[in-house]
Amino acid sequence: MTKKNNSMLSAAEIREKQLQMLYKILPIVSVILLIGLWLLASSGGSGFPSPAEVWDKTIQLFVKPVKKLSLIGHVGVSLRRIGLALLFDWTAGIAFGVLIGWYPKAKALLGPMFNAFRAVPPLAWIPLITLWFGIGEFPKVLIVIFGSLASIVVNVQAGMSNVEKMYLDVGTVFNATPSQRLLKIAIPSALDAIFAGVRTSTSAAWMVVLAAEMLGANAGIGFLISRGMDSLDMPLVLTGMVAIGIVGAILAIVTQFAERMICPWTRRKKSF
């Protein structure tokens, strides 16, 4: 019986190792397929830039910067804008989400206004913001705030509203004050939802800042794409798009790493 259990265990371990190897190989296969489709789309005189043309344009951006900024410089400008916006989102947004998720009266009073606000697409604010504040840096950051604030508020509100009643009952048994129940029970229990909002708001901010830059900017990845579109420089457009994908993937990895460091139990949940 013991030998049979050992053989079954070893078979399960082998299968687990095979799955882990498969999960490592599949992303590589995905990238190869993507490059293959790219080569196919750029063949036959379709006018679609090839990977070699995009690579040459990327190197050219370092040799001959656009507006005195290389590709990394334009990425840095875009990241600075979303960094300022996310700093506001992750403070005011989390605080507001806790407020309307934890206090029913605040939700009844402020919830309808917030739902009306988040129903308006971020790009719809651009004409008004441009009219009020012009086309400087602050309007672009404000557009990113409007485009990414709702996602974190919704997640935080959901997390605070769905705290396990059992945890709160335990706090009541130990005579926890209302502030202790909020700060030491509810908010830690909602960290999963809060980090889901952090990830969603980060990706939303990255998308919105690109749209804002395409409508009026002198630097940034969105500006590079708009510049390539105006001059019919398709390799420049594709270079900007590739940079968007790479930076977006890096931002996702960074936020996931931060979540695993601060909320290690989420990693254990996903392994079950």
Side-chain angles (χ1 to χ4, degrees):
M1 185 71 177
T2 304
K3 292 182 178 179
K4 184 177 180 180
N5 289 336
N6 290 335
S7 63
M8 291 177 62
L9 182 61
S10 61
E13 290 177 348
I14 291 172
R15 179 172 175 79
E16 182 66 23
K17 290 181 179 179
Q18 290 175 344
L19 286 174
Q20 291 178 357
M21 183 64 67
L22 181 63
Y23 293 148
K24 293 179 180 179
I25 294 174
L26 286 177
I28 299 174
V29 174
S30 177
V31 172
I32 294 173
L33 287 175
L34 179 61
I35 294 174
L37 290 173
W38 189 354
L39 290 171
L40 181 63
S42 61
S43 63
S46 61
F48 195 81
S50 66
E53 291 174 323
V54 173
W55 175 255
D56 291 340
K57 178 58 67 173
T58 302
I59 299 300
Q60 184 181 349
L61 286 175
F62 289 94
V63 178
K64 296 180 180 179
V66 177
K67 294 289 184 178
K68 298 181 180 181
L69 289 175
S70 66
L71 178 61
I72 295 177
H74 286 284
V75 171
V77 170
S78 297
L79 288 177
R80 185 184 70 234
R81 288 167 179 156
I82 73 167
L84 293 173
L86 290 176
L87 182 62
F88 178 85
D89 288 348
W90 295 347
T91 52
I94 291 176
F96 185 73
V98 170
L99 178 66
I100 62 176
W102 185 248
Y103 299 102
K105 292 180 180 178
K107 181 180 180 181
L109 176 64
L110 302 174
M113 289 188 290
F114 169 70
N115 290 330
F117 165 79
R118 73 188 184 98
V120 179
L123 297 184
W125 291 100
I126 291 178
L128 286 177
I129 293 176
T130 303
L131 179 64
W132 291 336
F133 303 105
I135 56 174
E137 282 297 306
F138 176 71
K140 295 177 181 58
V141 175
L142 191 59
I143 291 170
V144 178
I145 290 174
F146 282 10
S148 54
L149 181 63
S151 57
I152 192 165
V153 173
V154 169
N155 280 276
V156 175
Q157 177 190 356
M160 296 298 297
S161 301
N162 295 322
V163 174
E164 290 287 346
K165 186 177 182 299
M166 180 182 65
Y167 300 156
L168 301 176
D169 291 340
V170 171
T172 302
V173 169
F174 285 95
N175 297 320
T177 63
S179 61
Q180 288 175 332
R181 294 176 68 198
L182 172 62
L183 298 176
K184 295 186 177 181
I185 299 176
I187 292 179
S189 299
L191 279 178
D192 292 1
I194 291 174
F195 268 98
V198 167
R199 292 196 306 271
T200 307
S201 64
T202 301
S203 60
W206 185 235
M207 289 185 291
V208 174
V209 74
L210 297 170
E213 290 172 348
M214 290 178 69
L215 293 174
N218 293 321
I221 296 295
F223 163 75
L224 283 182
I225 294 177
S226 179
R227 177 75 171 262
M229 181 176 62
D230 293 340
S231 60
L232 298 179
D233 189 351
M234 290 301 106
L236 180 58
V237 173
L238 262 292
T239 298
M241 292 174 64
V242 171
I244 290 170
I246 293 174
V247 175
I250 292 173
L251 289 175
I253 292 171
V254 170
T255 52
Q256 287 177 0
F257 178 78
E259 179 183 10
R260 291 178 180 179
M261 292 293 293
I262 298 175
C263 309
W265 59 87
T266 59
R267 189 175 182 179
R268 291 195 293 269
K269 284 181 182 179
K270 293 175 183 177
S271 64
F272 292 137

